[in-house]
Amino acid sequence: MQKAEKTALIYATDLLARQDYSETRLRQKLALRKYSESEIDEAVEKLKKYNYLNDETACAYQFELMYQSNKYSVQQICAKLFKFGFETQLIEKCKPKDYEEHDERVAILMLCSKFKTLPENKKLWQFLSTKGFDYSTISAAVDEFKNNFAKD
């Protein structure tokens, strides 16, 4: 007995049961499974109608998860969310006003976990710049790390 092929709606529902997706990313996943454009449109509209697919809510939720994890700079979070298919204006709405404090704290945590001894300044700067921190955040974090946390 041959297994029946899942419809786009059922497949999309299965995907959303495991994690949130942006509409763009969900459409890409459905297209990869060779569903027709009309079937994809119908599935997406039904999911949006019943609020199973909501870019604004999903973007805010994903942003908050990454922000609270203290593993990413706000710039990294924004880049990841953009890669997940969320629109720039949705991502920007999620950014808190005081994110500079968060970024400085995260930068110091990253330096403490990466460096047990004090390397040259250049290595500290390079490490943090690849993580998406801006100049002022890196400067403050490096100074704080050198003065309070690093062992010579």
Side-chain angles (χ1 to χ4, degrees):
M1 188 164 109
Q2 191 175 12
K3 188 176 169 181
E5 182 68 30
K6 290 182 179 181
T7 65
L9 179 61
I10 292 172
Y11 183 67
T13 305
D14 288 348
L15 289 172
L16 289 169
R18 286 178 275 202
Q19 76 179 58
D20 285 333
Y21 285 93
S22 66
E23 180 180 336
T24 303
R25 186 71 181 121
L26 186 64
R27 284 180 178 279
Q28 290 170 347
K29 287 205 163 270
L30 293 173
L32 284 173
R33 294 287 292 239
K34 307 278 191 250
Y35 291 109
S36 70
E37 196 63 39
S38 61
E39 192 176 4
I40 292 171
D41 289 341
E42 187 179 316
V44 166
E45 288 310 310
K46 274 189 181 172
L47 291 167
K48 286 168 69 173
K49 177 182 174 184
Y50 293 110
N51 209 28
Y52 292 126
L53 182 61
N54 183 324
D55 276 4
E56 194 167 336
T57 304
C59 184
Y61 177 74
Q62 293 289 333
F63 188 98
E64 191 61 27
L65 276 179
M66 288 187 265
Y67 190 81
Q68 294 300 326
S69 75
N70 290 325
K71 293 180 180 179
Y72 307 102
S73 68
V74 170
Q75 185 175 337
Q76 269 186 311
I77 294 170
C78 293
K80 284 179 176 287
L81 291 174
F82 186 75
K83 187 177 173 185
F84 293 165
F86 294 108
E87 295 178 11
T88 305
Q89 59 267 28
L90 280 179
I91 298 167
E92 288 296 319
K93 283 174 44 178
C94 297
K95 284 170 69 171
K97 302 288 184 237
D98 63 342
Y99 73 87
E100 292 89 2
E101 294 170 14
H102 167 271
D103 274 5
E104 189 174 327
R105 185 177 65 252
V106 170
I108 293 167
L109 288 170
M110 286 181 167
L111 289 174
C112 288
S113 67
K114 174 77 173 170
F115 300 102
K116 303 303 177 205
T117 60
L118 186 61
E120 60 184 83
N121 266 1
K122 184 179 177 183
K123 283 189 179 189
L124 299 172
W125 277 79
Q126 285 175 333
F127 174 71
L128 290 178
S129 65
T130 63
K131 303 296 181 187
F133 295 103
D134 63 23
Y135 178 87
S136 61
T137 301
I138 294 172
S139 181
V142 167
D143 288 345
E144 180 77 13
F145 179 71
K146 285 170 52 181
N147 293 332
N148 299 311
F149 298 103
K151 298 173 186 134
D152 290 327

